[in-house]
Amino acid sequence: MQAQGRSAGMEPILFVIDHFRNPNAGTEGQLFQLVKGLDRTRFTPYLLVFSDSDYLREQGFPCEYEVLGHSRLSSPSMWLALWKFASRFRSRGGRLAHIFFNDPSLICPPMFRCQGIKTIISRRDMGYWYTPTWQAALIVTGRFVSAVITNSRAVKTVTAQKELLSPSRIYVVYNGYERGPEFRIVPSDLALLRRQCPSAVFVGLVANIRPIKRIQDAIEALGGGEHSCSDSVHLVVIGDGDSSELENLATKLGVNKRVHFLGRRSDVKSCLEALDVALLCSESEGFSNSIVEYMQAGLPVVCSNVGGNPEAVKHGETGYLYPCGDVSALANFLTKLSESDELRRSIGDQAGKVARERFGMQQMVSEHQHIYQRVIGAEG
């Protein structure tokens, strides 16, 4: 770390995360963009990661970073290495650290407080990972936390209840997104698919294949009997993971020719240009990156009414919310959108407008900077 941060009039801000592997992933992506957009005339960012990664070795990071080299919370060597790092950061004028992910948010606040460093922790999901042991530990270490930043009001409520934190110390900052170019070139495989199915309405679902994402609900909505979608609806699944069980389900329901798995993609935003409707079926969402990307692309959104989803999607205006697991309601909304080009266009246009107004990257960065300054300047 450089020693001139405070003397040059810039406040050192330490960001801590246990690993950084993908600048396009949810939390890692938001951290990457936050550090990249931070006002360098006011703040000097540093990154501490517990363990190294291929990405950091090959691509680096938008600020100076250091690898702690330890990741086991039970290891005394990790505690010692973290203590020494915190001491160095404080000696260089550092007064604030922003902590991401669970392990760092447990160990860092009490240790940093002993060094005179205030901490902010981030919470970005509905706490599906909480266990009695984790909760008990976080309630203790939470006493050393100066502030919490959540990415939705729903996450704020869960965090306050589960970790016994005062709502007055919890700030809501929605995820920020770069708009990018107005027009993107549709990937060749999706362009071919559209030519092969010229009358189809393509519904896209961007999510890694995991049980919590309930992608099976979307497939069942296509082939669920009398309440299923019209035959014009095709499902395009974009995300990493084993799709074999979902493919078997599609075959069993007789809709395998209308379900297309693209796997992990690095051109997701370009893929969205080929779609007509966007979908998310998750049973738990803090605040979905996918939903805002859908809206930015001008797509009407159909999503489960869970977590922060209703904070992003206004029912009937920018999309439709349905009770999680209610395949009949899901199929109904997909059918409604598939039957009207004008409805898709009007809802998609409104979704794009809302995304630009509420979820801009600069707004996200600016709100973080305001919180940093407030915490740094607070007494006690």
Side-chain angles (χ1 to χ4, degrees):
M1 281 184 293
Q2 299 172 345
Q4 68 268 27
R6 291 290 300 284
S7 60
M10 294 174 287
E11 186 73 40
I13 304 291
L14 176 64
F15 297 91
V16 184
I17 194 168
D18 51 8
H19 62 261
F20 189 92
R21 300 166 183 161
N22 183 356
N24 299 311
T27 297
E28 292 165 276
Q30 289 296 301
L31 170 59
F32 184 89
Q33 295 297 339
L34 172 58
V35 171
K36 184 179 176 182
L38 211 63
D39 184 353
R40 295 304 201 272
T41 67
R42 297 171 59 194
F43 302 99
T44 301
Y46 302 96
L47 176 70
L48 175 67
V49 292
F50 286 0
S51 55
D52 209 349
S53 67
D54 290 339
Y55 178 85
L56 288 175
R57 284 190 293 268
E58 296 169 5
Q59 304 294 330
F61 199 74
C63 71
E64 187 176 340
Y65 76 91
E66 184 170 327
V67 178
L68 190 66
H70 302 275
S71 58
R72 290 176 58 245
L73 295 186
S74 60
S75 170
S77 58
M78 178 181 182
W79 288 73
L80 180 59
L82 190 60
W83 177 267
K84 290 181 177 178
F85 179 90
S87 179
R88 295 200 310 273
F89 179 68
R90 185 69 185 98
S91 69
R92 290 165 169 81
R95 298 186 291 172
L96 180 65
H98 187 173
I99 316 298
F100 293 79
F101 285 161
N102 308 334
D103 285 2
S105 70
L106 183 68
I107 187 175
C108 291
M111 185 169 292
F112 285 5
R113 173 66 69 85
C114 291
Q115 295 279 7
I117 302 169
K118 296 179 180 180
T119 57
I120 297 172
I121 61 173
S122 277
R123 291 288 181 262
R124 311 183 65 81
D125 56 51
M126 296 299 289
Y128 60 87
W129 50 272
Y130 284 126
T131 64
T133 301
W134 266 103
Q135 279 186 251
L138 289 169
I139 288 171
V140 173
T141 60
R143 299 171 182 172
F144 301 94
V145 171
S146 296
V148 184
I149 297 176
T150 68
N151 59 353
S152 71
R153 294 192 301 272
V155 173
K156 174 178 179 175
T157 298
V158 168
T159 302
Q161 291 174 347
K162 296 291 186 179
E163 301 186 34
L164 301 185
L165 291 164
S166 170
S168 65
R169 286 195 289 154
I170 305 177
Y171 301 86
V172 176
V173 179
Y174 291 117
N175 293 348
Y177 303 86
E178 292 181 315
R179 288 185 61 185
E182 290 292 330
F183 301 100
R184 297 175 183 271
I185 298 176
V186 174
S188 58
D189 53 345
L190 278 171
L192 175 61
L193 188 60
R194 294 220 64 133
R195 290 195 297 270
Q196 292 172 338
C197 310
S199 62
V201 174
F202 285 92
V203 177
L205 195 161
V206 179
N208 289 334
I209 298 174
R210 297 187 290 151
I212 199 172
K213 298 300 182 179
R214 297 188 66 94
I215 299 175
Q216 72 274 10
D217 290 354
I219 297 174
E220 291 176 3
L222 265 64
E226 60 177 315
H227 298 295
S228 60
C229 302
S230 64
D231 292 343
S232 65
V233 176
H234 283 231
L235 177 66
V236 177
V237 180
I238 303 172
D240 201 8
D242 182 1
S243 64
S244 57
E245 289 189 12
L246 295 173
E247 291 179 43
N248 290 338
L249 175 62
T251 300
K252 179 182 177 181
L253 296 176
V255 296
N256 53 299
K257 293 184 179 179
R258 294 164 50 205
V259 180
H260 315 278
F261 293 93
L262 303 190
R264 181 178 180 178
R265 301 287 293 240
S266 60
D267 58 348
V268 172
K269 292 186 178 181
S270 294
C271 290
L272 296 180
E273 296 293 325
L275 305 177
D276 303 297
V277 179
L279 173 63
L280 200 68
C281 305
S282 307
E283 64 186 46
S284 178
E285 287 286 349
F287 192 84
S288 171
N289 292 334
S290 293
I291 286 179
V292 179
E293 288 185 347
Y294 295 161
M295 294 171 65
Q296 279 191 326
L299 293 172
V301 179
V302 179
C303 65
S304 50
N305 191 3
V306 300
N309 289 356
E311 296 175 48
V313 176
K314 191 167 185 179
H315 186 75
E317 294 188 16
T318 60
Y320 296 104
L321 298 159
Y322 73 93
C324 183
D326 189 339
V327 174
S328 178
L330 168 57
N332 177 63
F333 288 129
L334 291 179
T335 298
K336 185 175 183 177
L337 286 167
S338 71
E339 292 176 345
S340 173
D341 293 347
E342 179 56 34
L343 182 63
R344 293 197 301 274
R345 187 179 303 109
S346 63
I347 291 181
D349 287 347
Q350 183 64 19
K353 178 182 178 182
V354 170
R356 290 189 294 272
E357 291 175 351
R358 296 185 60 203
F359 308 120
M361 185 65 67
Q362 186 54 49
Q363 181 172 343
M364 182 271 285
V365 174
S366 177
E367 290 181 14
H368 275 87
Q369 292 182 155
H370 178 74
I371 295 169
Y372 295 159
Q373 200 65 61
R374 182 170 182 173
V375 172
I376 290 168
E379 292 293 330

